[in-house]
Amino acid sequence: MTEIHESGEDYLEAILRLQKENGIARSVDVAKKLNVSKPSVSRAMSILEENGYVQVGKIGSLELTEKGKAKAESVYARHILLTEFLVEIAKVSKEQAEINACRIEHYIDEDVKKGIERWMEENKS
């Protein structure tokens, strides 16, 4: 089994967020959310399905497997943490923080993430 790449993490996070927002995630919604083509989503879903992260439901919905959901929730938690951290520390808009958090979330080490969590907990407003 191959390690998941940044784009794969983005797809998993998008599916999770769409499920939270709409109750369902479809390929067309993922394409719109990530601003990619539907064929790109199809290719990504094939790879993610092959590696046990996603299943396609009976009505064409995209379903996260247990493994996929765990990975998606981990990425999304980093995204939220980094967004809040950047708003708090850099004093940038939430929109700007979200864009940058999306870039950073794939590369941050676990010990750095824990350090940010600790700092955020100790410095709650």
Side-chain angles (χ1 to χ4, degrees), residues 90-117:
K91 305 292 187 207
V92 296
S93 70
K94 187 167 194 256
E95 183 180 325
Q96 189 177 7
E98 288 250 359
I99 291 166
N100 283 275
C102 213
R103 294 179 188 144
I104 299 167
E105 69 194 25
H106 305 289
Y107 301 105
I108 191 167
D109 293 332
E110 186 63 25
D111 53 339
V112 173
K113 181 187 121 241
K114 286 181 178 174
I116 292 171
E117 287 172 333

PDB file of all heavy atoms in Angstrom, residues 90-117:
ATOM      1  N   ALA A  90      -0.765  35.606  13.706  1.00  0.00           N
ATOM      2  CA  ALA A  90      -0.414  36.480  12.576  1.00  0.00           C
ATOM      3  C   ALA A  90      -1.420  37.611  12.388  1.00  0.00           C
ATOM      4  O   ALA A  90      -1.168  38.538  11.628  1.00  0.00           O
ATOM      5  CB  ALA A  90      -0.300  35.649  11.300  1.00  0.00           C
ATOM      6  N   LYS A  91      -2.562  37.497  13.083  1.00  0.00           N
ATOM      7  CA  LYS A  91      -3.613  38.523  12.999  1.00  0.00           C
ATOM      8  C   LYS A  91      -4.085  38.743  11.564  1.00  0.00           C
ATOM      9  O   LYS A  91      -4.335  39.867  11.140  1.00  0.00           O
ATOM     10  CB  LYS A  91      -3.147  39.857  13.608  1.00  0.00           C
ATOM     11  CG  LYS A  91      -2.640  39.764  15.027  1.00  0.00           C
ATOM     12  CD  LYS A  91      -3.745  39.431  15.987  1.00  0.00           C
ATOM     13  CE  LYS A  91      -3.243  39.503  17.425  1.00  0.00           C
ATOM     14  NZ  LYS A  91      -3.969  38.641  18.318  1.00  0.00           N
ATOM     15  N   VAL A  92      -4.182  37.647  10.813  1.00  0.00           N
ATOM     16  CA  VAL A  92      -4.687  37.717   9.444  1.00  0.00           C
ATOM     17  C   VAL A  92      -6.156  37.328   9.440  1.00  0.00           C
ATOM     18  O   VAL A  92      -6.675  36.782  10.420  1.00  0.00           O
ATOM     19  CB  VAL A  92      -3.883  36.802   8.492  1.00  0.00           C
ATOM     20  CG1 VAL A  92      -2.437  37.267   8.388  1.00  0.00           C
ATOM     21  CG2 VAL A  92      -3.934  35.349   8.929  1.00  0.00           C
ATOM     22  N   SER A  93      -6.827  37.598   8.329  1.00  0.00           N
ATOM     23  CA  SER A  93      -8.243  37.244   8.218  1.00  0.00           C
ATOM     24  C   SER A  93      -8.397  35.730   8.258  1.00  0.00           C
ATOM     25  O   SER A  93      -7.456  34.989   7.941  1.00  0.00           O
ATOM     26  CB  SER A  93      -8.813  37.776   6.900  1.00  0.00           C
ATOM     27  OG  SER A  93      -8.264  37.051   5.809  1.00  0.00           O
ATOM     28  N   LYS A  94      -9.597  35.297   8.618  1.00  0.00           N
ATOM     29  CA  LYS A  94      -9.865  33.853   8.650  1.00  0.00           C
ATOM     30  C   LYS A  94      -9.659  33.259   7.259  1.00  0.00           C
ATOM     31  O   LYS A  94      -9.108  32.168   7.121  1.00  0.00           O
ATOM     32  CB  LYS A  94     -11.282  33.583   9.157  1.00  0.00           C
ATOM     33  CG  LYS A  94     -11.542  32.103   9.355  1.00  0.00           C
ATOM     34  CD  LYS A  94     -12.810  31.860  10.134  1.00  0.00           C
ATOM     35  CE  LYS A  94     -12.851  30.438  10.593  1.00  0.00           C
ATOM     36  NZ  LYS A  94     -13.656  29.536   9.964  1.00  0.00           N
ATOM     37  N   GLU A  95     -10.078  33.990   6.227  1.00  0.00           N
ATOM     38  CA  GLU A  95      -9.926  33.506   4.851  1.00  0.00           C
ATOM     39  C   GLU A  95      -8.448  33.303   4.498  1.00  0.00           C
ATOM     40  O   GLU A  95      -8.072  32.262   3.960  1.00  0.00           O
ATOM     41  CB  GLU A  95     -10.563  34.503   3.879  1.00  0.00           C
ATOM     42  CG  GLU A  95     -10.505  34.046   2.438  1.00  0.00           C
ATOM     43  CD  GLU A  95     -11.141  35.044   1.484  1.00  0.00           C
ATOM     44  OE1 GLU A  95     -12.138  35.693   1.859  1.00  0.00           O
ATOM     45  OE2 GLU A  95     -10.621  35.167   0.371  1.00  0.00           O
ATOM     46  N   GLN A  96      -7.622  34.274   4.825  1.00  0.00           N
ATOM     47  CA  GLN A  96      -6.190  34.159   4.546  1.00  0.00           C
ATOM     48  C   GLN A  96      -5.571  33.028   5.377  1.00  0.00           C
ATOM     49  O   GLN A  96      -4.742  32.267   4.887  1.00  0.00           O
ATOM     50  CB  GLN A  96      -5.475  35.483   4.826  1.00  0.00           C
ATOM     51  CG  GLN A  96      -4.045  35.499   4.346  1.00  0.00           C
ATOM     52  CD  GLN A  96      -3.373  36.842   4.576  1.00  0.00           C
ATOM     53  OE1 GLN A  96      -3.930  37.737   5.207  1.00  0.00           O
ATOM     54  NE2 GLN A  96      -2.174  36.983   4.067  1.00  0.00           N
ATOM     55  N   ALA A  97      -5.989  32.921   6.621  1.00  0.00           N
ATOM     56  CA  ALA A  97      -5.491  31.854   7.496  1.00  0.00           C
ATOM     57  C   ALA A  97      -5.880  30.486   6.939  1.00  0.00           C
ATOM     58  O   ALA A  97      -5.068  29.561   6.945  1.00  0.00           O
ATOM     59  CB  ALA A  97      -6.038  32.035   8.905  1.00  0.00           C
ATOM     60  N   GLU A  98      -7.125  30.354   6.437  1.00  0.00           N
ATOM     61  CA  GLU A  98      -7.593  29.080   5.865  1.00  0.00           C
ATOM     62  C   GLU A  98      -6.741  28.671   4.671  1.00  0.00           C
ATOM     63  O   GLU A  98      -6.344  27.508   4.554  1.00  0.00           O
ATOM     64  CB  GLU A  98      -9.054  29.211   5.390  1.00  0.00           C
ATOM     65  CG  GLU A  98     -10.043  29.299   6.497  1.00  0.00           C
ATOM     66  CD  GLU A  98     -10.913  28.065   6.610  1.00  0.00           C
ATOM     67  OE1 GLU A  98     -10.768  27.131   5.808  1.00  0.00           O
ATOM     68  OE2 GLU A  98     -11.726  28.046   7.530  1.00  0.00           O
ATOM     69  N   ILE A  99      -6.469  29.611   3.795  1.00  0.00           N
ATOM     70  CA  ILE A  99      -5.669  29.323   2.593  1.00  0.00           C
ATOM     71  C   ILE A  99      -4.287  28.827   2.990  1.00  0.00           C
ATOM     72  O   ILE A  99      -3.792  27.830   2.459  1.00  0.00           O
ATOM     73  CB  ILE A  99      -5.571  30.578   1.694  1.00  0.00           C
ATOM     74  CG1 ILE A  99      -6.941  30.890   1.083  1.00  0.00           C
ATOM     75  CG2 ILE A  99      -4.512  30.392   0.612  1.00  0.00           C
ATOM     76  CD1 ILE A  99      -7.055  32.270   0.466  1.00  0.00           C
ATOM     77  N   ASN A 100      -3.665  29.500   3.935  1.00  0.00           N
ATOM     78  CA  ASN A 100      -2.320  29.117   4.367  1.00  0.00           C
ATOM     79  C   ASN A 100      -2.327  27.832   5.185  1.00  0.00           C
ATOM     80  O   ASN A 100      -1.418  27.006   5.060  1.00  0.00           O
ATOM     81  CB  ASN A 100      -1.665  30.269   5.130  1.00  0.00           C
ATOM     82  CG  ASN A 100      -1.182  31.339   4.183  1.00  0.00           C
ATOM     83  OD1 ASN A 100      -0.087  31.248   3.655  1.00  0.00           O
ATOM     84  ND2 ASN A 100      -2.019  32.335   3.918  1.00  0.00           N
ATOM     85  N   ALA A 101      -3.341  27.648   6.017  1.00  0.00           N
ATOM     86  CA  ALA A 101      -3.456  26.410   6.799  1.00  0.00           C
ATOM     87  C   ALA A 101      -3.543  25.212   5.864  1.00  0.00           C
ATOM     88  O   ALA A 101      -2.950  24.164   6.124  1.00  0.00           O
ATOM     89  CB  ALA A 101      -4.681  26.474   7.710  1.00  0.00           C
ATOM     90  N   CYS A 102      -4.251  25.385   4.759  1.00  0.00           N
ATOM     91  CA  CYS A 102      -4.402  24.315   3.774  1.00  0.00           C
ATOM     92  C   CYS A 102      -3.045  23.905   3.199  1.00  0.00           C
ATOM     93  O   CYS A 102      -2.815  22.730   2.939  1.00  0.00           O
ATOM     94  CB  CYS A 102      -5.320  24.795   2.655  1.00  0.00           C
ATOM     95  SG  CYS A 102      -6.322  23.503   1.966  1.00  0.00           S
ATOM     96  N   ARG A 103      -2.167  24.861   3.041  1.00  0.00           N
ATOM     97  CA  ARG A 103      -0.828  24.563   2.528  1.00  0.00           C
ATOM     98  C   ARG A 103       0.046  23.900   3.583  1.00  0.00           C
ATOM     99  O   ARG A 103       0.780  22.962   3.301  1.00  0.00           O
ATOM    100  CB  ARG A 103      -0.151  25.849   2.066  1.00  0.00           C
ATOM    101  CG  ARG A 103      -0.823  26.499   0.879  1.00  0.00           C
ATOM    102  CD  ARG A 103      -0.085  27.777   0.527  1.00  0.00           C
ATOM    103  NE  ARG A 103      -0.826  28.517  -0.486  1.00  0.00           N
ATOM    104  CZ  ARG A 103      -0.903  29.823  -0.528  1.00  0.00           C
ATOM    105  NH1 ARG A 103      -0.276  30.568   0.374  1.00  0.00           N
ATOM    106  NH2 ARG A 103      -1.579  30.418  -1.474  1.00  0.00           N
ATOM    107  N   ILE A 104      -0.035  24.388   4.806  1.00  0.00           N
ATOM    108  CA  ILE A 104       0.843  23.945   5.892  1.00  0.00           C
ATOM    109  C   ILE A 104       0.442  22.582   6.443  1.00  0.00           C
ATOM    110  O   ILE A 104       1.293  21.785   6.829  1.00  0.00           O
ATOM    111  CB  ILE A 104       0.837  24.984   7.046  1.00  0.00           C
ATOM    112  CG1 ILE A 104       1.345  26.341   6.563  1.00  0.00           C
ATOM    113  CG2 ILE A 104       1.646  24.494   8.231  1.00  0.00           C
ATOM    114  CD1 ILE A 104       1.065  27.483   7.547  1.00  0.00           C
ATOM    115  N   GLU A 105      -0.854  22.300   6.473  1.00  0.00           N
ATOM    116  CA  GLU A 105      -1.374  21.116   7.171  1.00  0.00           C
ATOM    117  C   GLU A 105      -0.760  19.797   6.720  1.00  0.00           C
ATOM    118  O   GLU A 105      -0.735  18.836   7.478  1.00  0.00           O
ATOM    119  CB  GLU A 105      -2.896  21.040   7.055  1.00  0.00           C
ATOM    120  CG  GLU A 105      -3.395  20.742   5.669  1.00  0.00           C
ATOM    121  CD  GLU A 105      -4.886  20.991   5.488  1.00  0.00           C
ATOM    122  OE1 GLU A 105      -5.467  21.795   6.229  1.00  0.00           O
ATOM    123  OE2 GLU A 105      -5.449  20.369   4.587  1.00  0.00           O
ATOM    124  N   HIS A 106      -0.242  19.757   5.511  1.00  0.00           N
ATOM    125  CA  HIS A 106       0.315  18.513   4.977  1.00  0.00           C
ATOM    126  C   HIS A 106       1.759  18.268   5.415  1.00  0.00           C
ATOM    127  O   HIS A 106       2.260  17.164   5.293  1.00  0.00           O
ATOM    128  CB  HIS A 106       0.260  18.520   3.452  1.00  0.00           C
ATOM    129  CG  HIS A 106      -1.111  18.762   2.929  1.00  0.00           C
ATOM    130  ND1 HIS A 106      -2.120  17.828   3.012  1.00  0.00           N
ATOM    131  CD2 HIS A 106      -1.658  19.858   2.345  1.00  0.00           C
ATOM    132  CE1 HIS A 106      -3.220  18.331   2.480  1.00  0.00           C
ATOM    133  NE2 HIS A 106      -2.971  19.550   2.074  1.00  0.00           N
ATOM    134  N   TYR A 107       2.424  19.308   5.899  1.00  0.00           N
ATOM    135  CA  TYR A 107       3.860  19.209   6.148  1.00  0.00           C
ATOM    136  C   TYR A 107       4.267  19.345   7.608  1.00  0.00           C
ATOM    137  O   TYR A 107       5.410  19.109   7.943  1.00  0.00           O
ATOM    138  CB  TYR A 107       4.599  20.280   5.330  1.00  0.00           C
ATOM    139  CG  TYR A 107       4.332  20.127   3.864  1.00  0.00           C
ATOM    140  CD1 TYR A 107       3.485  20.993   3.197  1.00  0.00           C
ATOM    141  CD2 TYR A 107       4.893  19.069   3.144  1.00  0.00           C
ATOM    142  CE1 TYR A 107       3.227  20.834   1.849  1.00  0.00           C
ATOM    143  CE2 TYR A 107       4.634  18.907   1.796  1.00  0.00           C
ATOM    144  CZ  TYR A 107       3.801  19.798   1.151  1.00  0.00           C
ATOM    145  OH  TYR A 107       3.526  19.628  -0.172  1.00  0.00           O
ATOM    146  N   ILE A 108       3.339  19.704   8.445  1.00  0.00           N
ATOM    147  CA  ILE A 108       3.672  19.977   9.844  1.00  0.00           C
ATOM    148  C   ILE A 108       3.993  18.676  10.593  1.00  0.00           C
ATOM    149  O   ILE A 108       3.305  17.673  10.439  1.00  0.00           O
ATOM    150  CB  ILE A 108       2.527  20.763  10.528  1.00  0.00           C
ATOM    151  CG1 ILE A 108       2.965  21.273  11.877  1.00  0.00           C
ATOM    152  CG2 ILE A 108       1.268  19.947  10.597  1.00  0.00           C
ATOM    153  CD1 ILE A 108       2.022  22.287  12.466  1.00  0.00           C
ATOM    154  N   ASP A 109       5.069  18.700  11.352  1.00  0.00           N
ATOM    155  CA  ASP A 109       5.459  17.546  12.169  1.00  0.00           C
ATOM    156  C   ASP A 109       4.508  17.406  13.352  1.00  0.00           C
ATOM    157  O   ASP A 109       3.962  18.403  13.844  1.00  0.00           O
ATOM    158  CB  ASP A 109       6.877  17.725  12.726  1.00  0.00           C
ATOM    159  CG  ASP A 109       7.934  17.708  11.649  1.00  0.00           C
ATOM    160  OD1 ASP A 109       7.714  17.074  10.610  1.00  0.00           O
ATOM    161  OD2 ASP A 109       8.994  18.323  11.860  1.00  0.00           O
ATOM    162  N   GLU A 110       4.366  16.191  13.840  1.00  0.00           N
ATOM    163  CA  GLU A 110       3.473  15.918  14.964  1.00  0.00           C
ATOM    164  C   GLU A 110       3.891  16.696  16.208  1.00  0.00           C
ATOM    165  O   GLU A 110       3.053  17.235  16.920  1.00  0.00           O
ATOM    166  CB  GLU A 110       3.436  14.408  15.258  1.00  0.00           C
ATOM    167  CG  GLU A 110       2.436  14.004  16.310  1.00  0.00           C
ATOM    168  CD  GLU A 110       0.985  14.294  15.940  1.00  0.00           C
ATOM    169  OE1 GLU A 110       0.635  14.377  14.759  1.00  0.00           O
ATOM    170  OE2 GLU A 110       0.183  14.442  16.890  1.00  0.00           O
ATOM    171  N   ASP A 111       5.204  16.792  16.469  1.00  0.00           N
ATOM    172  CA  ASP A 111       5.653  17.516  17.669  1.00  0.00           C
ATOM    173  C   ASP A 111       5.390  19.017  17.545  1.00  0.00           C
ATOM    174  O   ASP A 111       5.077  19.676  18.535  1.00  0.00           O
ATOM    175  CB  ASP A 111       7.123  17.220  18.003  1.00  0.00           C
ATOM    176  CG  ASP A 111       8.074  17.436  16.842  1.00  0.00           C
ATOM    177  OD1 ASP A 111       7.629  17.433  15.687  1.00  0.00           O
ATOM    178  OD2 ASP A 111       9.280  17.610  17.103  1.00  0.00           O
ATOM    179  N   VAL A 112       5.479  19.573  16.346  1.00  0.00           N
ATOM    180  CA  VAL A 112       5.157  20.990  16.138  1.00  0.00           C
ATOM    181  C   VAL A 112       3.658  21.198  16.341  1.00  0.00           C
ATOM    182  O   VAL A 112       3.235  22.153  16.996  1.00  0.00           O
ATOM    183  CB  VAL A 112       5.596  21.467  14.732  1.00  0.00           C
ATOM    184  CG1 VAL A 112       5.103  22.878  14.460  1.00  0.00           C
ATOM    185  CG2 VAL A 112       7.109  21.386  14.591  1.00  0.00           C
ATOM    186  N   LYS A 113       2.851  20.275  15.799  1.00  0.00           N
ATOM    187  CA  LYS A 113       1.396  20.360  15.979  1.00  0.00           C
ATOM    188  C   LYS A 113       1.043  20.337  17.464  1.00  0.00           C
ATOM    189  O   LYS A 113       0.250  21.142  17.943  1.00  0.00           O
ATOM    190  CB  LYS A 113       0.707  19.206  15.249  1.00  0.00           C
ATOM    191  CG  LYS A 113      -0.804  19.249  15.373  1.00  0.00           C
ATOM    192  CD  LYS A 113      -1.420  18.000  14.783  1.00  0.00           C
ATOM    193  CE  LYS A 113      -2.180  17.295  15.741  1.00  0.00           C
ATOM    194  NZ  LYS A 113      -2.441  16.318  16.430  1.00  0.00           N
ATOM    195  N   LYS A 114       1.670  19.433  18.202  1.00  0.00           N
ATOM    196  CA  LYS A 114       1.405  19.348  19.641  1.00  0.00           C
ATOM    197  C   LYS A 114       1.844  20.614  20.362  1.00  0.00           C
ATOM    198  O   LYS A 114       1.186  21.065  21.302  1.00  0.00           O
ATOM    199  CB  LYS A 114       2.078  18.112  20.235  1.00  0.00           C
ATOM    200  CG  LYS A 114       1.359  16.843  19.857  1.00  0.00           C
ATOM    201  CD  LYS A 114       1.991  15.614  20.465  1.00  0.00           C
ATOM    202  CE  LYS A 114       1.162  14.407  20.056  1.00  0.00           C
ATOM    203  NZ  LYS A 114       1.697  13.156  20.444  1.00  0.00           N
ATOM    204  N   GLY A 115       2.959  21.191  19.928  1.00  0.00           N
ATOM    205  CA  GLY A 115       3.421  22.448  20.516  1.00  0.00           C
ATOM    206  C   GLY A 115       2.424  23.579  20.273  1.00  0.00           C
ATOM    207  O   GLY A 115       2.147  24.377  21.174  1.00  0.00           O
ATOM    208  N   ILE A 116       1.868  23.641  19.070  1.00  0.00           N
ATOM    209  CA  ILE A 116       0.858  24.660  18.755  1.00  0.00           C
ATOM    210  C   ILE A 116      -0.390  24.418  19.594  1.00  0.00           C
ATOM    211  O   ILE A 116      -0.963  25.360  20.157  1.00  0.00           O
ATOM    212  CB  ILE A 116       0.531  24.668  17.243  1.00  0.00           C
ATOM    213  CG1 ILE A 116       1.737  25.168  16.453  1.00  0.00           C
ATOM    214  CG2 ILE A 116      -0.701  25.529  16.958  1.00  0.00           C
ATOM    215  CD1 ILE A 116       1.609  25.015  14.945  1.00  0.00           C
ATOM    216  N   GLU A 117      -0.809  23.156  19.703  1.00  0.00           N
ATOM    217  CA  GLU A 117      -1.979  22.830  20.537  1.00  0.00           C
ATOM    218  C   GLU A 117      -1.741  23.282  21.981  1.00  0.00           C
ATOM    219  O   GLU A 117      -2.631  23.876  22.597  1.00  0.00           O
ATOM    220  CB  GLU A 117      -2.250  21.323  20.517  1.00  0.00           C
ATOM    221  CG  GLU A 117      -2.834  20.820  19.232  1.00  0.00           C
ATOM    222  CD  GLU A 117      -2.918  19.301  19.153  1.00  0.00           C
ATOM    223  OE1 GLU A 117      -2.113  18.601  19.808  1.00  0.00           O
ATOM    224  OE2 GLU A 117      -3.780  18.816  18.405  1.00  0.00           O
TER     225      GLU A 117
END
